[in-house]
Amino acid sequence: MPDRAPQPVDRQLPTEEARDLISLVREIAQREIAPYAAEEEDAGRFPRELFGLLSESGLLGLPYDSEHGGGDQPYEVYLQVLEELAAARLTVGLGVSVHSLACHALATYGTKEQQVEHLPAMLGGGLLGAYCLSEPSSGSDAASLRTRAVRDGDDWVITGTKAWITHGGIADFYTVMARTGGEGSRGITAFLVPGDAEGLSAAAPEKKMGMKGSPTAQVHFDEVRVPDSRRLGEEGQGFAIALSALDSGRLGIAACAIGVAQAALDEAVAYATSRRQFGRPIADFQGLRFMLADMATRIEAGRALYLSAARLRDAGRPFSKQAAMAKLLCTDSAMQVTTDAVQILGGYGYTADFPAERYMREAKVLQIVEGTNQIQRMVIARHLAGPESR
Ligand SMILES: Cc1cc2nc3c(=O)[nH]c(=O)nc-3n(C[C@H](O)[C@H](O)[C@H](O)COP(=O)(O)OP(=O)(O)OC[C@H]3O[C@@H](n4cnc5c(N)ncnc54)[C@H](O)[C@@H]3O)c2cc1C
């Protein structure tokens, strides 16, 4: 049986421009990302300069309006770009997804003046963003956050600690949800805080199981002063803004998960067709053939679901339930597929000589970020059965 070199995914893309875009991304992934992924993840190194290249190539503002420097791409195209990047290295795919999440509040709820002033640098001017919702004592129950913003003349003064912030300490701007009113979700307001604001500092990055190149850190706000012109949306609208960003962001996580799963399947197929036991390639054994078939089926199903949710979004229709379903299915599938890939590689799968174990460690975090998969099930059930009664 010949070695089966992985073939690029045969993508359904709406335009010639989108096909060119995917070719460009594959070229960047093959030349600039994949060859360094294992070593840099081992060393815990974030490729900041690569994000400069992605910005120059127009890849940090793809789903946003070209009027402010975005790429005007439909979500179904943007997500497939994320999938390609994540297949090469999750730190990069997820980094682009989080950056887009951080731009959402300003691009969707900002005033014209705010957009003209800040968006071009965020979408194509080399800046990197972070999204600050979680806190040490509020994760799934995000509406109970405690970071406070107090009005002082024309300014707001922000004090508190955000937790688990992707790009914490290296971001150029932070989209921050802080409490400006009473308890609960209606007392929260969103702000755009520059990374060099006085009083803003980050703790040492968390020591994580995977995605070690992506810095995740607590960010402290010690009386950080921002003008009211950096308030995004209305006072009290911050939680709704945060959730709206997450609906879109969850689709990004779903696409990244399918990228990681696809990379694991490609590796498993290549290995199973070249490794021989009992005088035959191990891919001859039905036990493994069925595993490969199931892995491929999960990936296709996940891709179809995130694309169908994206197409609803592109058509301006509600997509929140489908985004939660896509995040749930794609990330659970990635966990299963990457675990199976390790199994197919046998003992070698358990070593760092092959990327299968890295994919498995990376898949795990995707079941947790941007709402754990328990929370996705709650969101889906609410669409079906209404809110829980107390
Ligand atoms: C690598 C990484 C990057 C991250 N990046 C960011 C970021 O950039 N910005 C940001 O704001 N946050 C970020 N997060 C935070 C992430 O969104 C939270 O970790 C996540 O929302 C879960 O919150 P928690 O960790 O506090 O867990 P908890 O909310 O304490 O949950 C613990 C467990 O209880 C379960 N649980 C909680 N409530 C319920 C319920 N009602 N029903 C059933 N089960 C429940 C959860 O599913 C989970 O299994 C990141 C996290 C990680 C690990």
Side-chain angles (χ1 to χ4, degrees):
M1 191 180 296
D3 282 6
R4 310 276 301 186
Q7 296 299 310
V9 174
D10 185 13
R11 300 194 174 281
Q12 286 181 40
L13 293 160
T15 59
E16 197 55 43
E17 188 192 4
R19 278 187 280 282
D20 290 346
L21 181 60
I22 291 290
S23 301
L24 169 74
V25 172
R26 282 181 176 156
E27 201 186 305
I28 293 176
Q30 270 171 24
R31 205 183 52 225
E32 309 285 346
I33 305 178
Y36 310 104
E39 192 184 325
E40 292 201 340
E41 283 303 315
D42 247 13
R45 185 178 176 278
F46 180 74
R48 184 64 184 88
E49 67 295 337
L50 173 71
F51 278 77
L53 172 71
L54 297 179
S55 180
E56 273 167 36
S57 311
L59 300 179
L60 289 192
L62 283 178
Y64 294 110
D65 281 353
S66 54
E67 189 190 346
H68 300 301
D72 260 342
Q73 288 302 311
Y75 234 63
E76 67 165 310
V77 174
Y78 158 68
L79 292 181
Q80 297 195 69
V81 167
L82 283 187
E83 192 194 314
E84 294 277 344
L85 292 173
R89 184 175 175 191
L90 181 60
T91 286
V92 178
L94 185 118
V96 174
S97 182
V98 168
H99 173 83
S100 297
L101 181 74
C103 295
H104 180 93
L106 177 53
T108 313
Y109 295 89
T111 62
K112 194 84 200 148
E113 294 73 40
Q114 288 174 323
Q115 291 176 348
V116 167
E117 185 176 351
H118 301 294
L119 265 184
M122 289 160 63
L123 297 181
L127 300 191
L128 185 66
Y131 172 88
C132 300
L133 178 62
S134 305
E135 298 187 358
S137 56
S138 60
S140 301
D141 183 14
S144 66
L145 65 83
R146 292 190 197 154
T147 294
R148 217 165 231 296
V150 177
R151 187 84 196 227
D152 181 25
D154 285 342
D155 293 343
W156 291 90
V157 179
I158 306 175
T159 301
T161 295
K162 292 292 177 181
W164 306 109
I165 303 308
T166 300
H167 306 154
I170 62 161
D172 301 298
F173 63 91
Y174 294 79
T175 296
V176 180
M177 269 50 76
R179 190 163 299 286
T180 53
E183 298 286 289
S185 60
R186 301 231 164 113
I188 296 168
T189 303
F191 298 92
L192 180 67
V193 180
D196 60 0
E198 209 181 314
L200 188 156
S201 63
E206 305 290 347
K207 292 185 174 151
K208 304 197 298 295
M209 176 194 293
M211 247 190 12
K212 296 180 189 207
S214 170
T216 312
Q218 287 198 351
V219 177
H220 305 299
F221 296 81
D222 183 8
E223 300 195 348
V224 172
R225 187 171 282 273
V226 290
D228 188 51
S229 60
R230 281 182 170 267
R231 172 175 48 80
L232 301 173
E234 302 299 323
E235 272 180 57
Q237 201 187 4
F239 195 66
I241 293 174
L243 289 191
S244 137
L246 283 176
D247 275 344
S248 297
R250 281 167 185 163
L251 287 176
I253 301 299
C256 286
I258 293 303
V260 172
Q262 183 70 55
L265 173 65
D266 289 348
E267 197 200 358
V269 170
Y271 188 85
T273 50
S274 59
R275 169 76 171 171
R276 297 176 74 84
Q277 289 294 280
F278 301 97
R280 306 154 73 179
I282 57 172
D284 265 8
F285 303 123
Q286 195 180 56
L288 291 201
R289 295 180 85 77
F290 280 15
M291 273 173 88
L292 291 172
D294 286 347
M295 291 158 78
T297 304
R298 283 182 212 279
I299 290 170
E300 287 288 343
R303 185 177 291 125
L305 184 55
Y306 88 60
L307 283 175
S308 115
R311 286 172 187 142
L312 285 176
R313 186 189 188 280
D314 290 333
R317 291 171 51 193
F319 67 99
S320 176
K321 178 179 72 177
Q322 288 81 359
M325 289 171 165
K327 199 273 181 181
L328 172 62
L329 182 82
C330 294
T331 61
D332 279 357
S333 296
M335 194 70 246
Q336 182 71 57
V337 167
T338 55
T339 306
D340 289 348
V342 169
Q343 188 70 17
I344 288 172
L345 269 72
Y348 293 106
Y350 201 64
T351 71
D353 295 342
F354 290 83
E357 60 85 34
R358 170 161 68 83
Y359 298 142
M360 185 176 159
R361 288 185 285 108
E362 291 177 342
K364 185 62 228 175
V365 81
L366 298 173
Q367 294 179 303
I368 297 170
V369 293
E370 298 199 21
T372 65
N373 283 4
Q374 284 76 25
I375 296 304
Q376 304 309 321
R377 288 181 172 92
M378 279 171 55
V379 171
I380 297 162
R382 273 184 201 146
H383 280 277
L384 299 173
E388 302 88 337
S389 47
R390 292 256 167 195

